[in-house]
Structure formats: C-alpha cells, structure tokens
C-alpha cells in the first residue's frame, strides 16, 4: 500500500509522509506560540490583542485550508464566523450562558449550517463555488443586518470569558486553540481521509469510480471548515465584547483564503504562516503611516511573483537549488 | 412602473459593460479577476480628476479612463499573470494574484485620490418625462453611450481577426497556439480590453451616483453575480446576467427597504445555482 502512494504526482507527497518533519513543525509552532511571542511582547497589551487576533484568524483559515484540500476555493468562511459569533453573543447576553458553553454550541451551529448549505452547494466547482460562497458571506451579513434590525444588528457588552481577564490569558487560550486545531488538521491531512481529500482534488470522477462516496467526504470537509469558522467567530466576539454584521465582510472571507495561499496550499502550516506573516507585516508597516496600505499590497505581489506556491515553498525551492 | 423599467434599463446597460469585461478576462485567461471592481473605481476617479480638477470636457475624461486602466490591465497581464501562471503549481494561485492587485489598486487609489465620495456634475442638463416616469438627460446619455460601447465591443469580438483569435483562445488555448495565433499578445490585449470596459462603466456611473475608493469589492461582487446568472466566459450570458441583475435591483429598490433587495437577490441566486450550476448559458464547469 505504502509503495503505491508516491506514484501520485503531488508536490508534497514525500514530505507529507515524513513524520519527523511534521513533528518538527508542531514543536516549532508550539515554541513560537508559547515562548517567542509572550517573551517578545511581554507587558504590551496591544500586541497581545493583535496576536490573539492573528491566532483566531489562523484558526478560521485552517478551516478554509481543509476545503482547499478537496479542491474548492471557499470564500464563505466569514459567513460562518459571523454565525458563530452571533450564536455565542446571543446566548451569552440574552440567556447568560457561560462562554465555555457558548463556544461548543457555536461550533455546532456553524457546523450544522455548513452541513445544510454545503450539501447542495458543494456540487458547484471551480470559480462557481468560489463566487457562490462569496455571495453567501454577503447574504449572511445582510440577514443579520435585517433580522436583528433595531441597533443596526449589533450586539454590545458581551461578557468576557470567565478566567480570561488579562490580554495574556486570552492570548494563551487562543494559542492553545490554534495549536490543537493545527494538530487535528495535520493528523487529518495524513490520515486515510486526508488522502481521500487529495484524490478528490486531483479528480472527483476517478475517486468516485473506486467506490468513494465523494458527496459525504466533501460535506465532511466543509462542515469541519464551517465549525472552525464558528469557533473563531465566537472567540473574536468575546475578545472584542461586541459583534456587528460588518464584523465579517466579503473582504474578511477573501483574507481567510488569502492567508492559505500566502503560506502555501500544500502545507497545513500554510494558513498559520500566512496569517501571522501578513498581520505582523501590517502592524510593522504602521510606523510609515501613509504608505502602509500601499506597501502591504506591493509586499503581497512580490511574494506571489517570487514564491507563487506560498512562503513555505521556499524550503522546496532551496532544496531544488542545492541539488 | 415606467420609472422601474427606465431605471432597470439604465442599470442593465451599465452593468453589462462591467460583466462583459469580467467575462472576457475569464474566458481568455481563466482568471477570476478580483480586481475588476477596483478597475471600475479607478476609471471613475480618473474622470473626476480630469474633469473636476483639471476642468477638461467629459469626453476627454472618458477616453483617459479607458486608456489608462486599459494600460494598467495590460501591464498586469504581462508583468504578473503571465509570469505567475507559468510557474505556479496550482491554477488557483492566480486568484491570489488577482486579489493582491485588487489590494494594490485600492490602496493606490486611496493614496492618490483620498477616501471621499467623488462625483462630477451631470454632463447635460434637463429631464425628460415619459408617461409617469422621469428620465434625466444625463442618464439617457449614460444609457446611450453604454449601448454604443456594447455594440462596438460585440462587433469587435465577432467580426475582426483579433476578436476571432480571442474567441478561439477562450475555446481551446492549445489548439489556438498551434494555429499560429500569438497567444501572449492576444491575452494581453483581451485583459486590457476587459479592464478598459470596467473603467468605462465607472467613468459613466460617476456622473450618476459618484464613486469612492472603497467601492471596488461591492462592484466585483455584483459582477460575479451577473456572470454566475448568465454563465462564466459566455458573452451572451454576461449581457443576460446584467439585464437580470439590473431589473432585479430596480424592482427590488422600488418594493423593499434598502438592503433587503440584495438579501433576496443572494438567496434567489443560490437557489438558482442549485438548479442550474453553470448559469443560464454556461458550459458545465466551463
């Protein structure tokens, strides 16, 4: 069985089987999240909030990465983040539920919505799927804007989660969430399901022809993605202590997708590298105020021109150069 | 009722320019141009700059918008898309590039023109009355110019050598290359034409509703809706999609408050795509 696998021509097939490299990535990520960031930014509340935000965005992008694994460009993650955020916000303000109960409920709600919407929508492919999920983001935003009318659809004064009163505590929680998410996604990508996903990306008809129920697998991928979006949304609402229909817009959905691209679609670590890289670059460029946004755009294009397969492909590029 | 029909027709004609440009680029390059709305926006702002700041006549502004954004489009195709699509491992990577250029154009516009809503005074004064409806002369000009441009683009694509090469390229890239068509040059020209169309639409609409630097994503979303309805990469489909969206918007705004219209449009769109995933005229997985 193992012998037949490398025959699949995938750029990352050899590396994905390489357990030590995967473990190394996990250790490096843990060191970065638990040691480097807390030490570098110790005592700076603002930066901890930025990093918490980066961790939550990475978590949502990890979900999008799962849908990339089945070969779908998903620009709908903002919809599910908004859904999770509102679920948690309504439960904690109107019904006084603890954040720690709201969080799994948000995941379930977003996952269920992902199931109901994804089952029919996943029949679409290519740019049609990309465009329809983009429309979904806008539809959900307008839904909240029009149904929760009175205050422009916003919910304020969401209580802070019990036990996470300082920025550092919230950051550590988000970092743990991200690490757990990465472990789960990495494990998934290297399991049988991961290989089924990859074969679906290569050719859905062929996958179907060997007796795999592709409709079930693709909905599984989408539900996992949506649930992760819901969790990220719920945490973000609790961090900001408010949520508005404009908290997640089409631009945010595009960003979630962008982080995956930027890090590299062939790597589960891609969305995390992409999100932290872009967010830190954006913050560092803040010192040159007026050019900030302009340089940010230039930076993105430069990366794309020289590393079209993502930041993490630099390793493969160097290895090829050395050979 | 007459008013709704007039509004719908004017919107449709303008939207058709946007959708036509997007579908041209998609058909030829197989790239979903996320920067399309930003090109629309820059087209509008160039007109503002030429007409309101430098006081030149409107026709000059319109031409300047089409030419400058057309050149930007060609440069993007030549300098970015052709390079990246040659070396990228997955086809989706070109999408990141499109998003990146959208960011860049939006930020460049913010830097150059600021974030204010910009408009120019109507080119012609006066209002016509048709039955119970009012038709400002300015909107009539926008409508007529849009129709003329659509006719010009269609006859170009269907009756010239370059146009035929573009259609061939959309149908089968390899075969077209084998027939001795200069694929690189035609792609670049097609991208430029698509960009110029978006810019023209923006240049026309700035005299009606104004344009600001942040409008791009909303316009791109509308363009995506239109080509989803009609079918991506099909010229007839883009026109059909524009008519459907233009009238849906005009009818919706007459019946419902503000953003409910688009909520209904999105829900209807999703339901429609479940029945017909490739749009009205599209090829399956075109």
């Amino acid at each position: 069985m193992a012998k037949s696998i490398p025959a699949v021509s995938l750029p990352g097939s050899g590396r994905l089987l390489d357990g030590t490299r995967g473990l190394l990535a996990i250790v490096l990520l843990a060191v970065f999240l638990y040691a480097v960031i807390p030490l570098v930014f110790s005592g700076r509340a603002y930066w901890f909030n930025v990093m918490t935000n980066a961790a939550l965005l990475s978590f949502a992008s990890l979900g999008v990465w799962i849908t990339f694994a089945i070969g779908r460009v998903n620009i709908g993650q903002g919809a599910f983040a908004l859904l999770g955020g509102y679920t948690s916000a309504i439960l904690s303000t109107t019904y006084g539920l603890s954040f720690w109960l709201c969080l799994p409920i948000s995941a379930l709600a977003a996952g269920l919505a992902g199931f109901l919407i994804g089952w029919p929508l996943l029949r679409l492919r290519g740019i049609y799927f990309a465009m329809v999920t983009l429309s979904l983001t806008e539809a959900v935003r307008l839904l909240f804007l029009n149904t929760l009318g009175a205050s422009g659809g916003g919910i304020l004064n969401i209580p802070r989660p019990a036990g996470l009163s300082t920025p550092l505590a919230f950051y550590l929680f988000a970092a743990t969430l991200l690490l757990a998410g990465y472990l789960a996604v990495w494990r998934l990508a290297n399991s049988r399901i991961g290989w089924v996903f990859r074969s679906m990306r290569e050719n859905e008809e062929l996958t179907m022809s060997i007796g795999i129920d592709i409709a079930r697998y693709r909905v599984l991928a989408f539900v996992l993605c949506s649930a992760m979006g819901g969790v990220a949304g719920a945490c973000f609402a609790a961090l900001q202590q408010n949520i508005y229909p404009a908290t997640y817009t089409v631009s945010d959905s595009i960003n979630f997708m962008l982080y995956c691209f930027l890090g590299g679609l062939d790597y589960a670590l891609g969305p995390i590298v992409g999100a932290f890289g872009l967010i830190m670059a954006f913050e560092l460029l803040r010192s040159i105020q007026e050019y900030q946004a302009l340089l940010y755009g230039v930076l993105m294009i430069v990366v794309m021109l020289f590393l079209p397969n993502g930041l993490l492909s630099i390793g493969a590029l160097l290895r090829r150069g050395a050979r | 009722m007459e008013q709704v029909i007039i509004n719908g027709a004017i919107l449709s004609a303008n939207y058709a320019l946007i959708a036509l440009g997007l579908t041209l680029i998609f058909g030829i390059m197989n790239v979903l141009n996320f920067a399309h709305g930003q090109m629309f926006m820059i087209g509008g702002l160039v007109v503002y700059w030429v007409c309101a700041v430098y006081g030149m006549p409107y026709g000059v502004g319109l031409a300047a918008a089409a030419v400058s954004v057309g050149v930007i489009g060609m440069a993007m195709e030549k300098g970015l898309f052709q390079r990246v699509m040659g070396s990228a491992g997955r086809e989706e990577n070109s999408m990141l590039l499109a998003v990146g250029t959208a960011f860049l154009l939006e930020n460049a516009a913010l830097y150059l023109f600021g974030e204010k809503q910009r408009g120019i005074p109507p080119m012609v004064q006066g209002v016509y009355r048709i039955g119970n409806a009012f038709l400002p002369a300015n909107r009539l000009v926008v409508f007529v110019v849009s129709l003329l441009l659509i006719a010009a683009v269609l006859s170009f694509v269907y009756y010239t050598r370059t146009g035929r090469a573009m259609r061939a390229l959309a149908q089968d890239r390899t075969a077209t290359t084998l027939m001795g068509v200069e694929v690189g040059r035609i792609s670049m020209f097609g991208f430029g034409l698509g960009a110029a169309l978006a810019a023209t639409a923006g240049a026309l609409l700035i005299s009606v509703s104004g344009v600001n630097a942040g409008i791009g994503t909303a316009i791109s979303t509308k363009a995506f809706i239109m080509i989803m309805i009609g079918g991506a990469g099909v010229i007839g489909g883009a026109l059909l999609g524009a008519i459907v969206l233009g009238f849906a918007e005009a009818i919706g705004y007459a019946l419902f408050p503000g953003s409910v219209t688009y909520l209904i449009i999105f829900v209807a769109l999703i339901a429609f795509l479940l029945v017909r995933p490739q749009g009205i005229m599209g090829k399956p997985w075109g």
Side-chain angles (χ1 to χ4, degrees), chain B:
Chain B
M1 193 59 213
E2 291 98 330
Q3 190 69 58
V4 170
I5 293 173
I6 288 174
N7 290 351
I10 295 170
L11 270 179
S12 299
N14 201 274
Y15 283 178
L17 289 177
I18 306 175
L20 208 53
L22 187 68
T23 221
L24 266 180
I25 294 178
F26 176 73
I28 294 169
M29 302 282 300
N30 217 8
V31 165
L32 188 57
N33 183 20
F34 276 90
H36 211 67
Q38 276 74 15
M39 291 168 167
F40 169 97
M41 171 268 293
I42 290 188
L45 291 177
V46 166
V47 168
Y48 166 78
W49 194 57
V50 171
C51 297
V53 179
Y54 284 92
M56 308 272 248
Y58 179 74
V60 177
L62 195 63
V67 170
S68 59
V69 178
V71 168
I72 292 176
M74 288 203 265
M76 269 169 61
E77 204 280 336
K78 188 83 187 157
L80 302 175
F81 285 91
Q82 265 182 25
R83 279 196 58 175
V84 168
M85 286 170 88
S87 61
R90 289 207 216 172
E91 212 176 281
E92 295 107 312
N93 285 17
S94 67
M95 213 178 257
L96 171 58
L97 197 57
V99 175
T101 42
F103 259 105
L104 189 65
L105 290 181
E106 189 162 324
N107 292 328
L110 267 176
Y111 180 69
L112 291 172
F113 299 105
E115 58 200 7
K116 281 205 196 93
Q117 175 83 9
R118 302 291 193 188
I120 58 166
M123 319 145 222
V124 278
Q125 300 296 333
V127 177
Y128 298 106
R129 185 165 179 171
I130 304 165
N132 291 323
F134 294 100
L135 173 61
N138 182 42
R139 293 191 184 215
L140 185 65
V141 171
V142 168
F143 181 66
V144 171
V145 173
S146 301
L147 285 189
L148 287 177
L149 280 170
I150 293 167
V153 170
L154 287 187
S155 40
F156 173 76
V157 170
Y158 282 105
Y159 299 110
T160 64
R161 237 180 118 75
T162 318
R164 191 163 55 206
M166 279 157 70
R167 279 183 295 136
L169 205 56
Q171 220 170 56
D172 191 326
R173 201 175 183 89
T174 321
T176 311
T177 317
L178 288 173
M179 292 301 113
V181 173
E182 278 184 74
V183 171
R185 203 172 54 87
I186 300 289
S187 296
M188 187 171 86
F189 186 73
F191 209 112
L193 182 61
L197 279 173
T200 319
L204 287 169
L205 266 197
I206 192 172
S207 70
V208 176
S209 53
V211 165
N212 65 62
I215 206 174
T217 312
I219 297 290
S220 291
T221 309
K222 283 185 185 179
F224 294 163
I225 295 173
M226 289 184 266
I227 68 166
M228 275 192 280
I229 295 172
V234 188
I235 288 177
L239 300 179
L240 201 59
I243 293 170
V244 173
L245 185 69
F247 277 96
E249 206 175 287
I251 294 168
Y253 283 149
L255 295 179
F256 307 107
S259 54
V260 177
T261 301
Y262 261 87
L263 182 58
I264 296 171
I265 290 176
F266 282 122
V267 173
L269 175 75
I270 291 169
F272 166 71
L273 285 177
L274 295 179
V275 183
R276 195 158 172 85
Q278 70 272 35
I280 298 172
M281 299 172 78
K283 298 159 278 184
W285 320 132

Side-chain angles (χ1 to χ4, degrees), chain A residues 97-108:
Chain A
L97 237 60
S98 153
F99 171 75
W100 303 108
L101 258 172
C102 292
L103 195 61
I105 297 174
S106 301
L108 280 177

